[in-house]
Amino acid sequence: MVADEGLRELRAVPLPGISRHSGRVLGDLLAAQRQAARDADWPALLGTSLTLLGAGQGHAVAVRAVRSSDGTLAEDALTGVGEVLDGLRQLAARPDHEAQAEGIRALLQESDAGLAARAAPLLDQVAAGAVDPSAFEEGERLADLLGQAPGTDVEAGLCVAAVTRGLLGVVHGTLNTTRPTDPDPAGAERRLATLRSIVDRVDGALTTAERSLFDACAGGERDEIAAAAVALARRAQDLLVHFAAAQAEGAALARTLRSAGRNADAERVGRALARGGRLVRRAVADAAVGTRLDLDLALRVLPPAVADLTDTAGLAFAAALPDGRNTEIAHLGPDDDGDLVEVAGFVTAASAAREPDGKLVGRVTLLDPSSGSSVELSLLFVHPAHAGLTLDGYAVAHGRYRSASERLDGGPGVEVDVLAPTALSRESWQARLWFSATPWLHPWRGRLHLDWSLGTHSAGPDDFEDATRGAAELILTPFTRTENL
Amino acid sequence: MAACDALAEEAEEARERAEEAAAETKDELQEARTDTLQAISVCGAAAGGFAAGVAAGLAAAPACVSSAWEAVTSWCDARDSARGTGAAAEQAAAAQAAYLACLNDHKRG
């Protein structure tokens, strides 16, 4: 019975002091990490990134405690007020309600005149045979307000930003401090097999953890969803350092193979690395969403985006993105005009320009070293160098081939496809999961269906245009966004 | 960063005001909740359920009804307090968002 539980233990706790300055603490740490990335100071970047991870999780504990406390309080209060309202309604529905009301009024007057005066309007309603629920509805709104732990939204968002940036910083710090030994081209097959195996294992591990969260959401138990969300975030975090180091090794292998003229082998490594780059973004997105879920599930009423994510009804688990037809760059021609194609190659040039109407359009040139053929890509609203795409990295793009693309000054090339998050999120839960990371990390930069291998970073001013800044995202993207993609 | 620091100070002050308002509201709510639970408990013991207990009338359990009415009126007090909390929380969130926007935009740190 609610009353017994409530009287046995009043679970409300005071606001923990740690929450008071979380906004400033986390904001300052994020700024310090960005400065370290700007300076290409890798020890400082690693230090601030690890601090961010710890601080993000620590402050999340405080935010969650506040939210759980308020949520519990509000839930109990709502139960209580509902019971009071039910009782009054039943009283008003009795055939002798007038006599009942008068009896109550007399006794209240006898025991507490002040209380009798305050209760008079409601007693009038009972005497009239009806109870206006508006006073209780306002009480419900109060409980809703406290159940949403007012003032914790910004802090919760910053906790997720701290985890997201912390992980990205650890990835870029690792990538820029791993010093691979020059690999022997003779062992390339074994090294490629190892790299592919690592990529497959990371993919499998993320899928397993995502599937567990999907199953928990389908089960509908908040505690189980929160546990699966935390497990997903931790799994992603556990994988990323080793995975980034493996990609640094793989990039060295690709360079060695290209130098040795083994272009087809270099491309196979490049493909594995581009897939690795995609998986890094996926893992960071998973960690962001897992952290967000853990925090928001403590609220009494779930925010719409979280409610959508936890509602799996009618949704397939796996995301199927619109894949282009795999086409070798050398074979692209007029017959492919307008077709959705997949092209891949090493990045030999990257730039950005404004169209006459002000639209930013990025341009990337991909080289297929086996044939010596190149293709131009257009990237709507994305500056490749500012997104972290680097020269000599490997990219895989899906888009429409145009024999004469307006985006490419009338020349031939591939206009990289823009993914549709809303439509994809209606079809698969995974897409819904990944796109819900958007306030903290664009899982696909500018929604473009483009994957690229991670690259190292050189220091430079913020308006640096050369594509040699693999960690540019840490410098040039906001810590959190409010817009929906 | 001076502009950000000023915003950060403002955010902290707003946050403190929101916490004070929230603490006050929580006290009110806690009181209302305690009253309500007490009423439920007494009526439950007297007549097997709050609704039935209230309906049984004062003659059977006057303390129950007194507590129930106290609970109802406590809700009104808490409601008024919550209005202040909501306003303070909105100010705190806006001040924190402004601070964050300043950090986001501050390219040179």
Side-chain angles (χ1 to χ4, degrees):
Chain A
M1 184 178 170
V2 172
D4 291 343
E5 288 175 9
L7 290 172
R8 190 167 54 243
E9 184 189 5
L10 297 176
R11 285 171 287 175
V13 296
L15 288 163
I18 192 174
S19 73
R20 174 164 290 185
H21 303 305
S22 293
R24 183 170 190 177
V25 169
L26 293 175
D28 287 348
L29 277 173
L30 286 163
Q33 188 213 32
R34 184 169 57 193
Q35 189 60 48
R38 184 180 285 132
D39 297 340
D41 182 343
W42 306 120
L45 182 76
L46 279 170
T48 51
S49 299
L50 291 171
T51 304
L52 268 175
L53 279 172
Q57 287 163 4
H59 286 279
V61 169
V63 171
R64 205 164 38 243
V66 172
R67 289 181 162 186
S68 300
S69 162
D70 288 356
T72 302
L73 186 65
E75 196 72 48
D76 288 352
L78 277 179
T79 305
V81 78
E83 299 233 16
V84 172
L85 182 58
D86 281 350
L88 291 174
R89 279 180 166 150
Q90 289 191 28
L91 187 57
R94 283 174 62 106
D96 57 343
H97 53 261
E98 285 183 65
Q100 291 286 334
E102 288 314 308
I104 293 169
R105 204 189 303 271
L107 277 162
L108 283 181
Q109 189 62 45
E110 197 175 295
S111 62
D112 185 338
L115 177 60
R118 283 186 286 156
L122 282 168
L123 277 174
D124 290 345
Q125 291 173 25
V126 171
V131 176
D132 176 0
S134 60
F136 300 93
E137 287 167 356
E138 290 201 55
E140 286 173 359
R141 282 196 286 277
L142 153 66
D144 278 343
L145 175 66
L146 278 189
Q148 297 307 100
T152 57
D153 282 0
V154 170
E155 289 169 346
L158 281 173
C159 286
V160 182
V163 169
T164 306
R165 294 292 175 126
L167 287 176
L168 277 177
V170 167
V171 165
H172 287 293
T174 303
L175 197 76
N176 283 281
T177 50
T178 300
R179 299 273 174 263
T181 51
D182 285 341
D184 179 0
E189 275 305 321
R190 181 180 50 77
R191 286 173 180 271
L192 173 58
T194 303
L195 177 62
R196 282 176 165 167
S197 163
I198 292 170
V199 170
D200 285 342
R201 284 208 306 271
V202 170
D203 194 347
L206 291 177
T207 302
T208 299
E210 290 164 353
R211 169 72 76 172
S212 295
L213 178 56
F214 174 75
D215 290 342
C217 289
E221 294 293 330
R222 279 200 186 195
D223 289 349
E224 289 179 16
I225 298 171
V230 170
L232 173 61
R234 286 186 181 155
R235 194 77 190 98
Q237 184 174 326
D238 290 345
L239 293 167
L240 277 171
V241 170
H242 294 299
F243 195 38
Q247 288 176 74
E249 300 276 355
L253 178 61
R255 283 194 297 274
T256 298
L257 289 170
R258 285 188 73 187
S259 297
R262 290 175 59 178
N263 290 319
D265 289 337
E267 287 177 64
R268 290 160 66 209
V269 175
R271 272 206 174 262
L273 290 173
R275 195 175 152 216
R278 158 68 26 225
L279 283 170
V280 165
R281 298 192 80 74
R282 174 175 158 192
V284 176
D286 282 347
V289 179
T291 305
R292 189 234 184 121
L293 277 176
D294 183 37
L295 286 166
D296 283 357
L297 284 164
L299 293 169
R300 207 184 71 78
V301 178
L302 298 181
V306 173
D308 282 349
L309 184 58
T310 54
D311 178 9
T312 61
L315 276 181
F317 167 70
L321 302 179
D323 263 357
R325 185 185 66 245
N326 194 338
T327 308
E328 287 188 29
I329 293 173
H331 295 164
L332 287 170
D335 289 349
D336 299 309
D337 194 33
D339 288 357
L340 186 64
V341 296
E342 175 189 323
V343 292
F346 288 97
V347 177
T348 57
S351 61
R354 296 268 173 195
E355 291 189 338
D357 63 359
K359 273 198 200 83
L360 175 76
V361 177
R363 281 196 188 189
V364 171
T365 305
L366 296 185
L367 169 71
D368 169 2
S370 300
S371 65
S373 306
S374 293
V375 66
E376 290 267 330
L377 309 178
S378 73
L379 280 57
L380 187 60
F381 297 130
V382 169
H383 191 308
H386 293 178
L389 207 81
T390 52
L391 294 175
D392 291 330
Y394 195 87
V396 179
H398 300 259
R400 300 275 167 195
Y401 178 75
R402 305 285 181 199
S403 297
S405 169
E406 285 182 19
R407 292 258 144 76
L408 296 166
D409 297 329
V414 174
E415 296 174 354
V416 177
D417 196 26
V418 180
L419 295 170
T422 306
L424 289 167
S425 298
R426 273 199 293 264
E427 292 167 7
S428 95
W429 181 85
Q430 268 184 323
R432 195 172 284 191
L433 170 75
W434 297 328
F435 282 114
S436 65
T438 294
W440 301 278
L441 177 88
H442 283 192
W444 285 269
R445 279 301 297 262
R447 295 183 282 161
L448 294 180
H449 198 174
L450 176 70
D451 299 340
W452 64 84
S453 60
L454 300 177
T456 52
H457 183 92
S458 63
D462 284 354
D463 54 359
F464 207 58
E465 293 291 311
D466 293 347
T468 57
R469 309 188 80 197
E473 190 168 34
L474 283 173
I475 301 167
L476 296 169
T477 56
F479 304 132
T480 67
R481 298 178 176 89
T482 52
E483 86 270 29
N484 293 317
L485 263 187
Chain B
M1 293 290 277
C4 295
D5 287 343
L7 285 170
E9 295 296 336
E10 194 181 311
E12 282 179 15
E13 286 170 14
R15 173 69 200 216
E16 282 172 18
R17 287 195 297 274
E19 287 191 2
E20 283 166 14
E24 195 179 314
T25 301
K26 287 173 94 163
D27 288 345
E28 301 274 7
L29 185 60
Q30 183 76 326
E31 189 184 323
R33 176 173 172 270
T34 305
D35 289 346
T36 304
L37 291 173
Q38 236 162 5
I40 292 169
S41 176
V42 173
C43 292
F50 177 62
V54 171
L58 267 181
C64 157
V65 175
S66 176
S67 294
W69 286 114
E70 189 67 77
V72 170
T73 50
S74 289
W75 270 104
C76 296
D77 296 340
R79 173 197 59 201
D80 294 340
S81 177
R83 288 182 181 139
T85 301
E90 280 175 15
Q91 286 169 10
Q96 289 196 351
Y99 171 59
L100 177 61
C102 189
L103 287 176
N104 266 335
D105 292 342
H106 208 87
K107 294 285 172 65
R108 289 292 162 195

